[in-house]
Amino acid sequence: MARSKTGIRDVAKRAGVSVTTVSHVLNETPHTRVKDETVDRVRAAAKELGYRPNRLAQGLRTHASGMIGLVAEEIAATPHAGRILLGAQKRADADGLALAIINSDLQVEPFIPPRSVHAFLDRQVDGIVYATVYHDEVVAPPIMRGVPAVLIGARDRDGSIPSVLPDERTGAADVVRMLIEHGHRRIAFVGSSDDIPATRGRVSGYRDAMAAAEMADEARVVDDTSDAAGGYRAAVELLDSQDSPTALFCYDDRMAMGAYRAAAERGLRIPDDVSIVGFDDQAPLPTSMYPALTTVALPHYEMGEWAVETLTALLGAGGAEVEPSSPMLMPCPVIVRDSVGPPRDE
């Protein structure tokens, strides 16, 4: 009730300053000179009275709504989407922006933003963050170029829309290097049969690390479906082979679950007889497994935060044209737990 009855004149009266001064302070008007003690007094008065600036009225004056839109593909079906939203929300709050979120169906080529993007633009959002699931490279249509925009999980073909991607290739290489540092040489990759960017990035990182250690000839890859059943089948093939691996690097944590089962059925202890690592750090899987799974984390929170921070910078630049650039590659850290040890016979 206090908010609806309290106006800027009430704040000015409580602080003992003019209405213009209150407006400059609360709207953070650039190039104005207001003493620090006056700024503190105005803000204290506004807080005491429960006053907040009328964003709608500000928008009419400045042609800025103070709101940005986030379109996320398959929020309900993607376990990591919540982390993207949390990172984006934290950054938006810090930047004084309201964040509106819309779920979208998974898009297929050609890349066509859904009607929700049009709905955002109709409501005059200042900018848009578009988070994709599987896209590698997209050609953004004109509607995505008519407003400041940032992509998560995809790269714009001509580089004119800033984008952020997880550096899965380096993350995969890092976890393989960790296995090598523990003394492993027979390291196999339990891979995904899905032809998506994550598959290509992770197997490339595995091969990079094996080649760097002069172990390229010992690289072994068995692909199957990216679930526990697929991980089980691929691990069985590897563990039952001659010169079986002492370490399994699994495409994701679900495949690692299947690998755990295959090892247990063969009387192999983890990590005493075989080390197993995963990828994704998909809660609660890694800490629910015994022993707890060493894995590589996808930086969803950090990508959401970076995207909004970048969008805020674009808005601050007044919509200036963006120079073509490469995507930001966000590090994927190795999360060390209990499933890695030295090899049993090397």
Side-chain angles (χ1 to χ4, degrees), residues 4-329:
S4 63
K5 293 181 179 179
T6 302
I8 192 171
R9 295 183 183 279
D10 300 304
V11 177
K13 183 177 181 181
R14 174 68 66 90
V17 298
S18 68
V19 170
T20 300
T21 297
V22 173
S23 177
H24 286 333
V25 170
L26 298 184
N27 294 320
E28 298 182 355
T29 306
H31 312 303
T32 57
R33 296 181 179 180
V34 182
K35 294 181 180 179
D36 290 344
E37 61 182 73
T38 303
V39 170
D40 293 340
R41 196 162 68 247
V42 169
R43 289 176 176 168
K47 184 176 181 179
E48 291 170 7
L49 296 172
Y51 174 80
R52 294 179 64 83
N54 186 324
R55 296 299 183 190
L56 177 59
Q58 288 179 349
L60 292 173
R61 291 193 302 271
T62 65
H63 303 291
S65 65
M67 177 178 290
I68 59 175
L70 190 154
V71 181
E73 289 181 350
E74 299 286 324
I75 285 180
T78 307
H80 308 292
R83 298 291 296 166
I84 291 177
L85 302 184
L86 284 174
Q89 185 68 66
K90 178 183 177 183
R91 187 69 251 178
D93 288 345
D95 293 340
L97 296 169
L99 181 68
I101 301 166
I102 291 181
N103 179 45
S104 166
D105 292 334
L106 180 63
Q107 299 297 304
V108 295
E109 296 297 341
F111 178 61
I112 304 174
R115 285 179 294 177
S116 52
V117 172
H118 295 268
F120 273 148
L121 297 179
D122 289 344
R123 287 159 179 77
Q124 297 185 324
V125 296
D126 297 331
I128 290 176
V129 174
Y130 196 102
T132 69
V133 177
Y134 293 131
H135 289 296
D136 188 6
E137 184 179 85
V138 300
V139 178
I143 189 174
M144 290 288 287
R145 301 180 187 280
V147 64
V150 177
L151 293 170
I152 298 177
R155 68 185 75 206
D156 179 38
R157 182 167 296 173
D158 64 13
S160 62
I161 297 179
S163 60
V164 59
L165 298 167
D167 191 357
E168 296 178 279
R169 185 169 184 166
T170 300
D174 288 343
V175 78
V176 173
R177 276 194 291 269
M178 184 195 69
L179 291 170
I180 293 170
E181 289 168 1
H182 275 78
H184 292 278
R185 290 191 62 83
R186 299 201 306 273
I187 305 168
F189 184 69
V190 177
S192 168
S193 55
D194 296 325
D195 184 19
I196 58 175
T199 300
R200 298 191 291 271
R202 296 175 195 186
V203 73
S204 295
Y206 164 72
R207 293 191 183 281
D208 289 346
M210 295 292 282
E214 299 183 348
M215 293 160 51
D217 292 342
E218 300 179 55
R220 298 172 63 188
V221 178
V222 175
D223 293 334
D224 211 302
T225 56
S226 58
D227 53 23
Y232 171 79
R233 289 189 295 265
V236 165
E237 180 177 336
L238 290 162
L239 295 175
D240 287 351
S241 64
Q242 284 190 335
D243 218 17
S244 63
T246 61
L248 296 176
F249 171 27
C250 300
Y251 165 78
D252 64 15
D253 300 339
R254 295 180 301 166
M255 297 192 83
M257 287 179 64
Y260 268 48
R261 177 188 163 198
E265 287 182 351
R266 282 148 186 76
L268 300 175
R269 295 170 299 171
I270 304 168
D272 298 338
D273 299 316
V274 61
S275 292
I276 298 178
V277 299
F279 208 111
D280 285 354
D281 198 30
Q282 181 180 334
L285 292 184
T287 54
S288 299
M289 299 162 68
Y290 183 81
L293 178 68
T294 292
T295 186
V296 182
L298 285 171
H300 289 97
Y301 184 94
E302 292 79 6
M303 290 194 298
E305 197 171 33
W306 182 92
V308 172
E309 182 178 11
T310 300
L311 186 60
T312 301
L314 292 177
L315 296 175
E321 188 170 340
V322 178
E323 292 292 329
S325 62
S326 300
M328 168 67 180
L329 292 177

